[in-house]
Amino acid sequence: MSVSADKPGNLAHAIFERFLHAGECREVLGCFRELCQQLGLQGSGLQLYHSLKAALNYWSAKALWSKLDKKAGHKDYDQGTACASTKCLVVGAGPCGLRAAIELALLGARVVLLEKRDSFSRNNVLHLWPFTIHDLRALGAKKFYGRFCTGTLDHISIRQLQLILLKVALLLGVEVHINVKFEGLVPPTDKTGGWQAVVQPSSSLLTHYKFDVLISAGGGKFVPEGFKRKETRGKLAIGITTNFINRHSRAEVEVAEISGVARIYNQQFFQNLCNKTGIDLENIVYYKDDTHYFVMTAKKQSLLKKGVILQDKVDIESLLSPENVNRDALLNYAKEAANFSTNYHLSELEFALNHRGLPDVDMFDFTCMTRSENAALVRDYNGARLLLGLVGDCLVEPFWPLGTGVARGFLAAFDAAWMVRRWAAGTPPLEVLAERESIYQHLSQTSPDNTNKNISQYSIDPVTRYPNINLQAIKPNQVQDLYLVGIMEVSHKRKSDNRLSTVTSEDVYKELLSWCQASTAGYRGVAVTDFTTSWTSGLALCALIHHFRPDLVDFDSVDPEDAVRTHQMILDMAEQELGIQPVLSSTEMATMTESDRLGLITYLSQFYEAFKTSPEVEEVRKKPLSPRGTRGAILFLSKLQKSRNLTHKRAQDSAQKDAEAKRSCRNTEPARERTGDSSDACYFCGCRVYILERASAEGRFFHRGCFQCQQCKATLRLGDYAFDEEDGHFYCSLHYPNPPSMDLPQEETPAQPDGDAEAAAYLPLDAGSPCVSPKEGAPSPLQPTSAAPQPGEEPGAVDYVDGGDVEEQELLAQPMEDARQEEDPRAEPQGAAEEGEESGGRRKIILTPLEKLSLSTLNLTSEAEPEPPLKPPRLWLQAAPETLPALWQGHDTWKEEEELHMQKTLEESDSEEDEEKEDEGTDLGIMAELCLDLGEEEKYSTSERTLSRRAREASMKRFCRAQAIQRRLEEIEVTFRELEQQGIKLEKLLRDENGSPADQQTQWTNQLLHLVQKKNSLMTEESDLMIVVQELKLEEKQWQLDKKLRSYMNREETLKTLEDHKAEQEILAQLLEVVNERNLLIHIQEEKRLSELQA
């Protein structure tokens, strides 16, 4: 339908169309003012919206009005009357501030929004969760931006998102003021007054605006007074974002996006990058939108070597200051990384310009992440109440690699709107605050997996979004400190550090001594009276372990005359079987002096944590007690490390010319020769190592910070290192001395980290640890030695040989067997208990190889329940999925039926868009022709598209999990350093020979033991995370093998060669091995859970 140019109303229609397609903030505001003037409309709020709707009733506007009417008709808004008497001020026109303003407007409130800038210039691309896509479609996003999440795209630039939300906000009557900066609050002068804002310029009309609700969305650096911030700090993390011009050419369309690749599970890609360019990254993401958007985390040493950072400085702000950054080197660094990660297919990269007219490249620090301790508060002055709420980055600063910022920002905006609705309904202030804080507890843990899957039902009511939420988890009496009366005095004094003066609630020293005495009572030659001479013979330690694990120690055969040998045996056994690391050497244990007393107490406290049980459990225990769940992960990684050492030895043996002589001396586990070393000296730096700093591996003691790869200085962790007995050096698994044939050529062509189906299937994977520097691949127990690539494979694709020797297999299987022997029968599932009732134990389920293979591929395809075909796409989506800018790569993987339901919801909202007669624009027409041409070249079946989509979902999920783990590992490392500093102070006080009162020494000892307990807890968490890292590697490996197996199985049998059949069988065997390894990891987690239930 069209209207001739000479009819009344045509000018208004033309202005409205210009408003819909305006691409700049000032242009949008100017068009809207012009539209209102043309139609003679004034006012704000929903009254303005209804006036616009009545004045513009032609087909294009009607399609938008129908969507907004449907949204406004939700019961939560009470037909726009729920907050009719409420006046709100929203600070900040970012996506979260605009989204909150829209919800407040739909509730009927008067909403004024101020923004200190006058342009939207952020090209950076945001990842969208399914519910955010559905939510924006419901607001008519495609009417304003025709390319919005068409088909399977799931991201949008910040600038485009702001433009969409700004237009919706204006149509719903939100008053938007640009170039106005919020600087504070002015309390009412009398009981009849109201709260006002201090703004710049002071001539702004907003200085007279009185409001009773303030929603701050001003970013992480702006938080109103009264809110307390909490900071989590990791290791130095430097992010780089860059945007390149997207010309939408054929070559650009063909380049696959990278939904996220992380070094923690895909080191080979970063090794290739480092070898070829010298660029050392932790991760990289690439999205296509208005621009080619890349974001990556760079290593400081790499930036220094490439001349990006001029001088190394301790202070992060000074390190990244403009004066210390070579801008040209930064541009080259970003372009090199972008070119390499896209296999140099974006041959003519040209930087997009930012709002200052400069290349859009930025380097930033995200070492510290902050969040508010509370989401809302109330200020009361002269009887006038003001409700303050936070949304966006000032509430929770997002960790960008997880792609959670806009999704959690929208959830917080909905939560804030619900709070205002309750406030306007007259709910007592403390109840409003308590409910808001109860909801806020869920925000940081939300993901597509744990929010409601029926996204079409989402509203501002938190019950529709958070399953099983308890809105009364926090009680009103717990939030009384959030109700501030009178003039608020902000104290800038820091809390004093009283950590050393804190007295523990119990005497840990005496409790530990009593526990040791009770556990060793009745043993021959054992009389524990202290923590020095009572333990020198080794009998007391043997008795302690025998009491809980008689299967590990033959107490009667222990020779008290050979104390050093006895202690060395116990130290090795405790580390390998119980996951307890030594603190002293065997010689120090055998010659126990007063100076070693603290070390022994620390060591014994680990046994206490591992074996302590409640009286009830002690009475019913009939089997040898396994370590508590807190040690289960450490125990598993200890066994894993021993297995890895065996693998490395086999690889090293095979590389020696005198193989027979070498094997004869290495087939036997070597005895440790360093029993005489002092545990007080660091093996690496030689400096004093205090108890809280002390870590050990292979009988060596060192600072945690010194435990690094000899070659690349990568941080090493338990279960992820290699040790060369000949040179005495520790390595990451990528740099362990290997046969020359296993070295990675530096000229190797980079493998695509993510993107099309083939690239996703053949992601190069290494066996190494999540170390700081990615290097060449090497074998590991979870990833056997790689063979030479077969003809036709991509460079960097990994082949796997059959499983290792019997010793390694038995070693990895041992935790499972121990668990079956030691699990409490009461913790068994009901079904297992019934089956094992007659036999007295669990019945092990034995699967055939074909059954295992079927289970291994269950999450990839399902022949029994094939997925329905994808929705027929619009004209420009006929291209093969591999040639489109992205597939549905950002969403986490959820259960099958939930996934189908969510997909159906998104398709329904998309089909509504199909009913609208939209003009997609000239650029979109060009894209349609281009993609049609590409689509004619190659056709893909529904099952292939489904596999491709699922590959991207799995890839994105692995990336998010890997980044969350990496961040937490860095936070743990920082906490370790803090504990070490406290421990050093205490240990110096205890070792001071000036003589302190006995009571004071006991107090310090208790405090030291308390720190040791914290350290042990952190070590356990670190080990749990490292097991998940192994799981991620196995997931990646399984997907590669499954894809390769399918490529063989899909071939015609008559066309297969003998080599094809052999390769197919080898891949099948390797796949089954991976399934068994994954099953072992799952069992370890279950064992830990059951042991914690027993405790």
Side-chain angles (χ1 to χ4, degrees):
M1 176 181 178
S2 62
V3 183
S4 59
D6 56 353
K7 290 187 178 180
N10 286 351
L11 182 56
H13 295 175
I15 297 172
F16 184 69
E17 289 299 323
R18 283 197 289 116
F19 166 77
L20 293 180
H21 298 99
E24 298 291 339
C25 174
R26 283 171 291 188
E27 183 184 1
V28 171
L29 294 172
C31 287
F32 189 74
R33 282 194 299 269
E34 186 180 352
L35 178 64
C36 290
Q37 291 172 1
Q38 177 66 27
L39 296 175
L41 301 179
Q42 294 182 347
S44 61
L46 292 180
Q47 181 181 358
L48 177 62
Y49 167 70
H50 292 303
S51 301
L52 280 169
K53 196 170 64 167
L56 296 170
N57 59 359
Y58 71 109
W59 66 268
S60 184
K62 280 184 177 180
L64 181 58
W65 304 145
S66 64
K67 278 192 168 292
L68 295 179
D69 284 345
K70 182 178 179 181
K71 180 74 175 177
H74 194 280
K75 60 183 179 62
D76 287 345
Y77 305 123
D78 289 340
Q79 299 298 318
T81 63
C83 300
S85 59
T86 304
K87 295 181 180 179
C88 305
L89 177 66
V90 179
V91 179
C96 298
L98 287 165
R99 192 65 193 85
I102 290 171
E103 289 301 324
L104 295 173
L106 289 169
L107 286 166
R110 181 186 176 187
V111 185
V112 174
L113 182 145
L114 60 85
E115 168 59 45
K116 64 181 179 181
R117 302 179 182 89
D118 61 0
S119 64
F120 297 153
S121 57
R122 289 184 289 176
N123 291 315
N124 294 353
V125 178
L126 299 171
H127 166 64
L128 301 178
W129 291 2
F131 93 84
T132 53
I133 296 174
H134 182 272
D135 176 66
L136 290 167
R137 282 178 177 167
L139 293 175
K142 287 189 68 64
K143 190 64 184 176
F144 307 108
Y145 183 51
R147 294 177 182 171
F148 173 75
C149 289
T150 306
T152 55
L153 299 184
D154 62 349
H155 47 72
I156 188 173
S157 69
I158 298 176
R159 187 179 69 84
Q160 287 291 354
L161 181 56
Q162 286 178 283
L163 289 171
I164 291 171
L165 295 174
L166 174 62
K167 294 170 186 177
V168 176
L170 291 171
L171 292 176
L172 293 175
V174 175
E175 303 173 44
V176 179
H177 298 260
I178 59 174
N179 293 319
V180 179
K181 184 179 179 181
F182 178 86
E183 294 193 338
L185 290 168
V186 178
T189 56
D190 52 49
K191 294 184 178 181
T192 60
W195 289 83
Q196 295 173 276
V198 179
V199 298
Q200 289 294 336
S202 56
S203 58
S204 171
L205 296 176
L206 291 183
T207 56
H208 305 294
Y209 176 59
K210 297 181 180 180
F211 49 90
D212 44 26
V213 173
L214 172 66
I215 302 297
S216 174
K221 296 182 179 179
F222 171 74
V223 179
E225 290 184 348
F227 289 92
K228 298 177 182 178
R229 305 289 287 173
K230 186 185 299 183
E231 180 183 275
T232 58
R233 178 178 291 271
K235 288 185 177 179
L236 177 64
I238 301 174
I240 297 176
T241 61
T242 182
N243 286 276
F244 298 97
I245 295 174
N246 187 355
R247 298 179 177 86
H248 305 290
S249 67
R250 180 190 183 94
E252 289 172 305
V253 172
E254 289 178 334
V255 176
E257 292 184 329
I258 304 172
S259 58
V261 58
R263 189 198 57 239
I264 199 170
Y265 62 84
N266 189 355
Q267 293 181 350
Q268 195 65 69
F269 169 77
F270 296 98
Q271 169 62 46
N272 294 342
L273 172 64
C274 189
N275 285 343
K276 188 172 183 64
T277 67
I279 293 173
D280 198 359
L281 301 180
E282 289 273 7
N283 50 47
I284 189 168
V285 174
Y286 162 49
Y287 284 143
K288 274 181 286 191
D289 202 84
D290 287 347
T291 62
H292 294 286
Y293 169 67
F294 293 83
V295 58
M296 62 202 79
T297 303
K299 290 307 190 66
K300 182 180 73 171
Q301 290 303 319
S302 171
L303 294 169
L304 287 167
K305 289 180 181 178
K306 297 287 285 185
V308 177
I309 296 178
L310 302 178
Q311 293 183 350
D312 191 5
K313 298 183 178 182
V314 177
D315 179 61
I316 299 176
E317 187 173 349
S318 300
L319 181 73
L320 300 183
S321 64
E323 300 78 22
N324 198 42
V325 173
N326 184 327
R327 185 74 180 174
D328 292 335
L330 175 60
L331 299 183
N332 291 332
Y333 191 97
K335 181 175 284 190
E336 276 190 281
N339 275 321
F340 180 92
S341 62
T342 56
N343 274 328
Y344 298 92
H345 290 159
L346 296 175
S347 56
E348 298 181 0
L349 284 177
E350 181 181 345
F351 288 104
L353 301 181
N354 59 22
H355 63 285
R356 294 187 296 270
L358 300 174
D360 194 357
V361 180
D362 188 28
M363 187 162 61
F364 60 96
D365 162 53
F366 61 100
T367 303
C368 298
M369 310 300 296
T370 60
R371 57 173 291 152
S372 177
E373 292 186 1
N374 52 290
L377 57 84
V378 173
R379 294 188 61 179
D380 188 335
Y381 187 78
N382 280 339
R385 292 172 176 170
L386 175 67
L387 175 65
L388 296 93
L390 304 181
V391 298
D393 290 3
C394 62
L395 179 63
V396 178
E397 192 173 4
F399 182 46
W400 72 260
L402 299 184
T404 58
V406 69
R408 290 178 179 168
F410 276 25
L411 290 173
F414 298 159
D415 296 336
W418 179 256
M419 173 184 69
V420 175
R421 185 184 189 277
R422 297 271 288 158
W423 174 268
T427 306
L430 289 180
E431 290 185 20
V432 172
L433 293 173
E435 183 178 271
R436 178 69 187 96
E437 298 308 313
S438 299
I439 299 169
Y440 179 44
Q441 288 183 326
H442 291 258
L443 186 63
S444 293
Q445 287 76 42
T446 52
S447 71
D449 286 329
N450 58 26
T451 49
N452 283 330
K453 300 304 181 292
N454 191 2
I455 57 178
S456 63
Q457 299 300 314
Y458 277 24
S459 73
I460 60 174
D461 187 347
V463 175
T464 64
R465 293 173 279 120
Y466 308 113
N468 305 317
I469 188 171
N470 180 7
L471 298 179
Q472 298 179 343
I474 294 178
K475 305 301 180 184
N477 64 338
Q478 295 176 268
V479 294
Q480 291 180 358
D481 60 325
L482 301 181
Y483 191 95
L484 308 177
V485 181
I487 296 295
M488 183 174 57
E489 295 182 3
V490 181
S491 175
H492 297 283
K493 295 181 180 180
R494 293 187 176 183
K495 294 182 179 179
S496 60
D497 186 1
N498 59 353
R499 287 175 289 193
L500 290 183
S501 62
T502 302
V503 181
T504 54
S505 59
E506 53 185 337
D507 194 333
V508 185
Y509 178 88
K510 291 182 179 179
E511 183 180 347
L512 179 62
L513 181 60
S514 299
W515 178 77
C516 291
Q517 290 171 337
S519 300
T520 58
Y523 281 87
R524 169 183 53 85
V526 177
V528 175
T529 59
D530 53 29
F531 286 115
T532 50
T533 57
S534 299
W535 302 85
T536 54
S537 68
L539 289 177
L541 193 55
C542 290
L544 181 66
I545 297 175
H546 184 271
H547 177 73
F548 296 100
R549 290 293 301 272
D551 58 313
L552 296 181
V553 178
D554 183 2
F555 183 80
D556 294 332
S557 65
V558 176
D559 182 8
E561 300 300 324
D562 194 351
V564 173
R565 185 172 179 274
T566 299
H567 278 294
Q568 188 61 55
M569 177 193 70
I570 293 297
L571 291 175
D572 292 342
M573 181 272 301
E575 183 175 10
Q576 295 168 9
E577 301 297 334
L578 302 176
I580 296 176
Q581 289 187 314
V583 179
L584 299 171
S585 69
S586 57
T587 301
E588 290 170 327
M589 296 277 286
T591 59
M592 191 70 60
T593 62
E594 188 64 28
S595 62
D596 298 321
R597 184 174 67 94
L598 289 178
L600 178 63
I601 292 174
T602 302
Y603 187 55
L604 292 176
S605 70
Q606 297 184 70
F607 288 92
Y608 177 70
E609 286 297 311
F611 288 136
K612 68 177 181 181
T613 57
S614 63
E616 294 79 8
V617 175
E618 187 69 27
E619 291 175 6
V620 300
R621 179 168 54 83
K622 298 179 181 179
K623 299 180 181 180
L625 184 65
S626 63
R628 289 163 57 86
T630 53
R631 311 301 301 181
I634 299 177
L635 170 60
F636 173 72
L637 287 180
S638 177
K639 293 178 181 293
L640 183 63
Q641 185 59 54
K642 184 176 180 181
S643 174
R644 177 169 284 132
N645 290 344
L646 292 174
T647 303
H648 286 311
K649 288 174 188 175
R650 289 197 302 274
Q652 193 176 49
D653 287 343
S654 63
Q656 302 297 328
K657 294 182 179 179
D658 52 342
E660 293 300 325
K662 294 291 182 180
R663 285 195 189 95
S664 63
C665 68
R666 289 187 182 181
N667 282 341
T668 305
E669 182 74 15
R672 292 183 176 168
E673 302 295 337
R674 301 185 59 82
T675 56
D677 280 7
S678 170
S679 61
D680 289 340
C682 176
Y683 176 71
F684 296 101
C685 69
C687 298
R688 174 69 178 269
V689 53
Y690 291 89
I691 289 175
L692 259 293
E693 298 177 295
R694 195 171 300 171
S696 67
E698 305 298 327
R700 278 72 174 172
F701 298 92
F702 42 79
H703 302 97
R704 281 180 56 90
C706 293
F707 192 32
Q708 297 178 346
C709 173
Q710 173 68 18
Q711 183 168 338
C712 67
K713 305 306 178 185
T715 299
L716 302 177
R717 292 188 174 91
L718 178 65
D720 271 306
Y721 67 85
F723 178 66
D724 191 330
E725 294 176 356
E726 291 188 351
D727 62 18
H729 294 316
F730 290 85
Y731 299 90
C732 67
S733 56
L734 291 175
H735 282 119
Y736 186 74
N738 286 319
S741 61
M742 300 179 64
D743 291 339
L744 176 72
Q746 293 203 2
E747 299 81 12
E748 184 173 354
T749 304
Q752 189 78 351
D754 195 359
D756 60 34
E758 293 299 320
Y762 293 102
L763 280 173
L765 180 68
D766 69 290
S769 65
C771 61
V772 176
S773 297
K775 303 294 177 184
E776 295 87 358
S780 79
L782 296 185
Q783 178 174 313
T785 309
S786 61
Q790 298 297 321
E793 289 185 357
E794 293 185 17
V798 180
D799 266 51
Y800 304 92
V801 300
D802 291 335
D805 61 17
V806 176
E807 184 177 0
E808 177 183 348
Q809 305 250 348
E810 290 178 349
L811 186 63
L812 280 175
Q814 191 170 349
M816 186 182 295
E817 304 224 348
D818 292 344
R820 282 198 294 270
Q821 294 174 0
E822 297 160 3
E823 282 175 359
D824 193 320
R826 297 173 303 153
E828 294 179 359
Q830 184 177 357
E834 291 174 356
E835 291 179 5
E837 198 169 354
E838 295 182 1
S839 61
R842 289 187 178 179
R843 180 172 63 86
K844 183 178 180 181
I845 299 175
I846 306 298
L847 299 178
T848 67
L850 288 178
E851 288 172 331
K852 289 182 177 180
L853 177 60
S854 177
L855 287 175
S856 74
T857 57
L858 191 61
N859 65 328
L860 300 175
T861 60
S862 176
E863 297 179 2
E865 297 180 13
E867 281 201 352
L870 297 179
K871 182 182 72 69
R874 276 188 283 276
L875 178 66
W876 73 287
L877 286 177
Q878 297 298 326
E882 286 71 17
T883 63
L884 292 178
L887 282 174
W888 200 264
Q889 55 186 309
H891 307 322
D892 289 338
T893 305
W894 43 79
K895 295 180 181 178
E896 186 72 16
E897 61 274 10
E898 293 169 338
E899 177 184 0
L900 292 175
H901 178 79
M902 188 174 296
Q903 183 68 20
K904 181 180 177 182
T905 301
L906 288 175
E907 289 177 359
E908 286 174 352
S909 65
D910 208 14
S911 64
E912 292 175 4
E913 300 290 345
D914 286 336
E915 297 172 1
E916 302 174 11
K917 299 178 180 179
E918 299 175 323
D919 181 8
E920 301 270 339
T922 304
D923 292 338
L924 198 56
I926 295 174
M927 284 292 292
E929 295 176 6
L930 174 62
C931 291
L932 273 173
D933 292 339
L934 294 173
E936 292 171 359
E937 296 178 3
E938 194 170 6
K939 301 294 182 182
Y940 290 83
S941 66
T942 300
S943 61
E944 289 174 325
R945 292 199 302 269
T946 300
L947 283 174
S948 180
R949 175 175 57 82
R950 288 185 175 182
R952 284 159 178 78
E953 291 171 356
S955 175
M956 185 63 182
K957 186 170 185 177
R958 277 195 295 276
F959 178 72
C960 290
R961 291 178 69 193
Q963 293 311 296
I965 290 170
Q966 186 69 37
R967 177 69 187 186
R968 182 55 189 152
L969 287 173
E970 293 170 355
E971 292 173 357
I972 288 174
E973 198 64 37
V974 171
T975 307
F976 266 128
R977 288 200 293 267
E978 294 174 353
L979 291 178
E980 288 168 0
Q981 294 304 313
Q982 298 175 54
I984 291 172
K985 294 178 183 179
L986 285 170
E987 188 171 349
K988 287 180 177 178
L989 290 173
L990 286 167
R991 293 183 184 276
D992 187 3
E993 297 181 358
N994 293 334
S996 300
D999 291 344
Q1000 181 67 67
Q1001 290 221 3
T1002 300
Q1003 179 181 328
W1004 287 337
T1005 303
N1006 288 335
Q1007 291 176 25
L1008 182 63
L1009 288 175
H1010 183 63
L1011 294 178
V1012 169
Q1013 291 174 352
K1014 287 185 176 181
K1015 175 187 174 182
N1016 292 341
S1017 178
L1018 287 174
M1019 287 181 63
T1020 298
E1021 184 182 359
E1022 182 183 53
S1023 299
D1024 283 334
L1025 293 174
M1026 294 307 299
I1027 289 179
V1028 179
V1029 170
Q1030 303 296 337
E1031 184 180 354
L1032 291 175
K1033 293 179 180 180
L1034 286 173
E1035 287 178 8
E1036 185 81 8
K1037 181 177 175 181
Q1038 180 176 335
W1039 172 253
Q1040 292 182 47
L1041 290 171
D1042 183 80
K1043 183 67 179 180
K1044 294 170 70 175
L1045 181 62
R1046 290 178 185 281
S1047 68
Y1048 283 106
M1049 295 178 69
N1050 289 337
R1051 298 178 187 177
E1052 292 289 340
E1053 286 293 329
T1054 56
L1055 300 179
K1056 291 182 181 179
T1057 64
L1058 184 61
E1059 289 75 13
D1060 290 339
H1061 285 289
K1062 183 179 178 181
E1064 185 176 341
Q1065 292 303 315
E1066 289 178 353
I1067 294 172
L1068 176 60
Q1070 295 160 21
L1071 185 58
L1072 294 176
E1073 181 184 351
V1074 172
V1075 173
N1076 288 332
E1077 291 169 352
R1078 290 188 68 182
N1079 180 59
L1080 177 61
L1081 287 175
I1082 293 171
H1083 184 88
I1084 291 295
Q1085 299 287 8
E1086 180 66 8
E1087 178 191 8
K1088 179 177 181 294
R1089 186 186 68 83
L1090 292 176
S1091 62
E1092 288 173 346
L1093 288 177
Q1094 293 180 26

